[in-house]
Amino acid sequence: MMIVSSFADLLALLTILICLLHRCGANYEVESVDGSGNLLSAKLTLVGGTTQFGPDVKQLNLTASLETDNQLHVRITDADHQRWEVPQDVIPRPEPALEDVLLHSSGMSNASLPGSSTMSSESSDLTFTIHTAPFRFTVSRRSTGDVLFDISATLVFKNRYLEVTSALPAKGASLYELGEQTKRTFRLQQNDTFTIWNEDLERSDLLDINLYSSHPFYMDVRPGGAAHGVLLLNTNGMDIKYGGSYITYKVIGGVLDFYFFAGPSPLAVVDQYTQLIGRPAPMPYWSFGFHQCRYGYKNVADLEGVVAGYAKAKIPLESIWSDIDYMDGYQDFTLDPVNYPAKLLRPFVDRLHNSSQKYVVIIDPAIKKEAAPPQNEAVGLFLQRNGTNYVGRVWPGEVYYPDFMNPRTAEYWARKISEFRRTIPADGLWCDMNEPSNFKAWEPLNEYDDSPYRINNTGIHRNLNNKTVPVSAVHFNGVSEYDAHNLYGLLESRATHDALLKDTARRPFVLSRATFVGSGRYTAHWTGDNAARWDELAHSINTILNSGLFGIPMMGADICGFNGNTTQELCSRWIQLGAFYPFARAHAEKTTVRRELYVWEPTAQSARKALGMRYRMLPYIYTLMFEAHTTGAPIARPLFFSYPQDADTYGVDRQFLLGRGVLVSPVLEAGATTVDAYFPAGRWFSLHDHSPAITLQTGKRVTLPAPTDSANVHLAGGNILPLQQPGLTTSATRQSEFHLLVALAENGTARGELFLDDGESPEMGGMGGNWTLVRFSCNTEDSKGIITTTVSSHVVQNSYAPSQTLVIGKVIFMGLPSPPKGFTVYVNGVELKAAGTKSRTNGVFSVSGLSLVIGQQFEIKVVMSH
């Protein structure tokens, strides 16, 4: 139920209801159209109009350009006044070519206009059509005629209110993403609404409420599996409603700046999307280990005890994290002189490093007022309001907010980080509270402090200034916080990433709570302050899948829950799932019961098994990071990414894939002894015992047993996984020998790849870099009862492996034909005769005792007679 807490809120609610009852729109007619090649432009003139939310803009410019064969850009803006748009230095992108020339050239006037004008290219599957009577535009797929986007004739364009609606197929469109929100389902449901406004909320009790990040992007999957993407590149606050047969945008500023991505596969959509917004940043190898944090670790001795507890329990621990407890009075770049003095903390961090472990600390963006540079040095470093530094309030008390739009502020930030790291060489930085959060009450200053249209902020149409910097604050070059609010987290992430890169010359690790389109170039992300509840465990899958599609693949949730007391069963089930999050970290609030994974022995057992499998799969997961960095492909993926033609996968959101073929089917309910899991057609092998668990001609739901100490994890036939032997750190794991796990499809084929580098060089797989990429393939031939299965490698690049002692010691085949009369193994053409090197158990055939050097091509043949 909506709560109206003030007269202003009541007025805003009445305004919204009036607008819903009486169409708050205007019509535009097309005055002229011109085009050349892959660019079309038009001038629109207002017809009619209303005064609701302010006067309408009288003339608009529209440009449509095919910027690539797979990317269509449609931009509508004020013809007479420049408006706020996402700065080019934040998201570099093509400028509309020849716009001014075309808009003022001798195009067709209104009197001679045809009913529609179309722009298309033989090399593109996207077609743009502008309709003139009345104005609207459509985007369609040229190969099928399928209409992807079709705006209604009612277009609203005011100074601080824009509205546009697109029709969608009444049946058949499956939409995903838009956010950030906690959702019950991954696929959007009819009448889902999304408010785009970065907000500091305790998210644990909130569904369908705007949270820390803003991503006005969605993917639409149509029957048969053809997918496309739609981005509205706009940083202003907005409401988006998905009505099943339509989608409506209500935006409080900026321009209508749409990008359409042709796909047609889901993977192609994210590839095209991240080509525009920026590829995901490569993450250091160590960041794929397991991380432990708690708000409330009292002192250095507490940290030492946690590290020792993990070692004693033989549970992998890659890094220990500090929340604001380590600070002096909660001030950035300081140490508590009693509980975290440098004389104790620095030796502790040095011991971590000597054990190949890491240390990560939190930093909040706000700087305590008294700790800011002198006024003569601080000019322009902080957000301004009413001509002076804006003073807010968060954990340290009264604070200033760095203005990360100003290049000088990024330099200041880098200097502070470097100075702090001279004392405590933290390996990564965790950017929290960067929506930005503010505890101080606000007073109105100007028109920006109360927008004429109230977006549904926090679900009850709260003012934009709720728990944040007032939107009348001003950034560098006079940019208002009203326009740039949703960029704050991205800009801090960029400054932090660049500072770490400069200070360490190594690949940075940054974790940010607030994100926007393109944040994945700089940072990892997590779901924020979740709760220790079963529904939160389930919801984490949807949020993590969304993040991957947004271009931020390094994503996780606080394992075992942050707020509230957890239980042994919930914590055990959470690590069974969380071990397969791309980013795996346990974190808890200081008043809750301790929940490190060794506290309960059943949880410790679950952790050893789940994290043991994660660490064994690290070569595969790290190779997925390389794929994400080079193509945008998510690490954790919905099932329809691999099976887009199977419509039954479109609604699966209690399972997910790691990469192409590792299927995770966790327990998400208390007391469960079985799991109802969906399996697409094909062969599926258990990764726990390599058994051929399931073979299906068509996809179906299967009831699986749910042992108390592990989640169901399966590998799809047709995949080859590179594995290593699990250690207690990623460093120890990287020194072990490799195994290849070959899961044959029914036709006897499989493929996979392995990417290797030092795990910390700034670039990943760049030209001239020091890295190795090997592709593996497997084929099977049947000739007169003699079946030959051949695994071979193809070395794409090999500038890293030669410097290391890296060998494949074992190859395991799953899915070979029924037991043969006899078999012979050839390694690089030489028969393998040594005893104990070949074995077959329960349909699994293994060849061990090998010493195949990574980076050198090889061939293994298994010849079987029947």
Side-chain angles (χ1 to χ4, degrees), residues 696-745:
L696 300 170
Q697 297 303 311
T698 59
K700 65 178 291 187
R701 305 203 73 85
V702 177
T703 300
L704 302 172
T708 58
D709 63 351
S710 59
N712 284 280
V713 184
H714 292 84
L715 178 62
N719 288 278
I720 299 176
L721 290 194
L723 306 171
Q724 284 182 284
Q725 312 319 299
L728 296 182
T729 63
T730 61
S731 177
T733 300
R734 278 170 66 92
Q735 296 170 28
S736 64
E737 76 171 17
F738 284 83
H739 292 175
L740 287 186
L741 185 60
V742 182
L744 298 176

Side-chain angles (χ1 to χ4, degrees), residues 139-201:
V139 177
S140 56
R141 191 177 293 282
R142 191 166 63 91
S143 60
T144 63
D146 197 16
V147 176
L148 310 183
F149 203 77
D150 182 359
I151 74 162
S152 67
T154 301
L155 168 67
V156 182
F157 204 111
K158 301 171 184 286
N159 183 34
R160 288 196 288 149
Y161 182 74
L162 288 64
E163 182 180 333
V164 64
T165 294
S166 171
L168 294 168
K171 294 182 179 180
S174 292
L175 268 63
Y176 304 88
E177 304 172 88
L178 296 172
E180 177 182 42
Q181 296 189 3
T182 301
K183 304 293 292 182
R184 292 181 178 85
T185 61
F186 178 49
R187 180 166 55 182
L188 274 57
Q189 302 299 306
Q190 185 171 335
N191 296 323
D192 272 353
T193 57
F194 299 85
T195 296
I196 305 297
W197 185 255
N198 291 3
E199 181 77 9
D200 174 13
L201 288 175

Side-chain angles (χ1 to χ4, degrees), residues 295 322-328 330-331 362 364 395 430:
Y295 174 28
S322 283
D323 208 310
I324 58 176
D325 315 280
Y326 79 93
M327 299 176 180
D328 183 10
Y330 303 132
Q331 298 179 66
I362 195 171
D364 293 337
W395 302 118
W430 166 23

